Amino acid sequence: ERARRMSGAGLRLQIGARTIATIPRRIVRVGLSLDAALTGARPPMPALGTGDDGYLVTSVPDTLALDWRGVVFERQRYTRYYVDLTAGEAAWRAALSGQTRSTLKRKAKKLAAASGGTLDVRRFRTAADLADFHPIARALAEKTYQERLMGAGLPGDAAAVAAMIDRAAHDAVRAWLLYVGDAPAAYLWCGADGDTLRYDYVGHDPAFAALSPGSVLMEAALVDLFDDRFARFDFTEGEGQHKRLMSTGGVDCRDLLLLRPTVANRGAVALVR
């Protein structure tokens, strides 16, 4: 579980992934790990400060009830998908639908043809590797919809970069770049949570969208991970067709806003609803 204060983040009014306005609120975000979501473990809730309005608790499994004497609002509901890496690549491919296997093969073949006949996937895991990876991936992130619409691209500030490199030095990062010709087309950065690897930052250059570089890179990364030290690949919060098609399991979850029972908080939640 991870907790952090979202000062200045507030409650977002959204249409799909696009934020159209924000109601200022100081929220403590508590994110359940995949292990906690699978076991139904109750998350530790840090004490609220005097200026905090409440919590946003993410990936609460449907089997877990949280006792809160205040405003409770279900922000979203989804399946948290994952891949069981211990089963091996052959079992994973066998579990995919025939259409999914055919689609992955077709996309990889099409992209390889545009890149001289082979896929150019480059792998990064050490601190030195990540120092090389970051500036290339960050330049890609600036072009992606994740960055433009959601502010969810690979971070570029010095503190975040230093933390990423430090994590790599402790064998807690895996990252990939996919090239088409000499141009980087897609990136994937994953942080480790024990023996689970998380799907943290991903994006592709829109100029290569017709070649499906994100899907091709995701398949290549999973193939690598079947020979790595991890037990599961965690697609994290939120839905997505590629998550559903490539996963081997999932846990039904919801994100809950737990706010102090003030008039202002009740009004804010009513507006978000």
Side-chain angles (χ1 to χ4, degrees):
E1 294 86 2
R2 304 179 300 281
R4 62 183 176 88
R5 276 172 173 76
M6 302 165 64
S7 57
L11 305 184
R12 293 173 295 172
L13 305 182
Q14 293 179 289
I15 299 177
R18 186 183 295 274
T19 298
I20 59 172
T22 300
I23 304 171
R25 283 296 181 275
R26 187 174 174 88
I27 305 296
V28 178
R29 186 185 188 279
V30 178
L32 273 73
S33 66
L34 176 60
D35 283 350
L38 286 169
T39 61
R42 189 173 301 277
M45 306 290 280
L48 293 177
T50 56
D52 294 330
D53 291 291
Y55 303 94
L56 171 63
V57 190
T58 63
S59 287
V60 180
D62 285 354
T63 56
L64 177 62
L66 297 180
D67 183 25
W68 176 252
R69 299 180 183 279
V71 180
V72 180
F73 175 59
E74 184 179 290
R75 191 63 191 267
Q76 63 174 335
R77 181 176 289 272
Y78 51 88
T79 300
R80 184 164 178 169
Y81 291 106
Y82 63 90
V83 176
D84 178 5
L85 298 172
T86 64
E89 181 185 352
W92 171 68
R93 289 194 184 279
L96 300 176
S97 71
Q99 182 178 359
T100 298
R101 289 195 298 271
S102 175
T103 298
L104 290 174
K105 184 177 180 180
R106 174 177 52 80
K107 288 180 176 180
K109 184 177 180 180
K110 181 179 179 180
L111 194 145
S115 191
T118 59
L119 292 179
D120 184 359
V121 178
R122 306 181 191 183
R123 297 151 177 90
F124 306 81
R125 61 186 293 174
T126 68
D129 289 344
L130 266 292
D132 293 334
F133 166 88
H134 185 271
I136 300 170
R138 178 59 199 157
L140 266 175
E142 292 175 349
K143 303 176 183 180
T144 66
Y145 78 87
Q146 289 93 343
E147 174 90 0
R148 290 184 288 103
L149 297 184
M150 297 180 287
L154 186 74
D157 62 279
V161 174
M164 288 180 177
I165 292 175
D166 180 68
R167 296 196 66 191
H170 293 85
D171 194 36
V173 172
R174 297 293 184 269
W176 295 262
L177 286 170
L178 173 66
Y179 280 72
V180 176
D182 294 328
Y187 77 92
L188 174 61
W189 188 99
C190 301
D193 187 8
D195 63 357
T196 296
L197 194 70
R198 294 191 313 272
Y199 182 68
D200 284 334
Y201 299 106
V202 61
H204 68 268
D205 186 336
F208 296 104
L211 296 174
S212 305
S215 297
V216 174
L217 182 56
M218 185 72 257
E219 180 187 10
L222 284 174
V223 170
D224 287 346
L225 291 174
F226 285 112
D227 293 322
D228 210 320
R229 69 174 180 86
F230 301 102
R232 285 182 293 272
F233 182 81
D234 176 15
F235 278 113
T236 68
E237 294 102 345
E239 295 280 357
Q241 184 181 33
H242 66 294
K243 297 181 180 184
R244 177 173 54 82
L245 294 177
M246 289 185 161
S247 68
T248 60
V251 54
D252 292 331
C253 293
R254 62 212 191 277
D255 292 351
L256 298 177
L257 272 171
L258 309 177
L259 301 179
R260 296 183 192 271
T262 66
V263 172
N265 284 339
R266 293 184 189 280
V269 165
L271 184 58
V272 170
R273 192 191 305 275

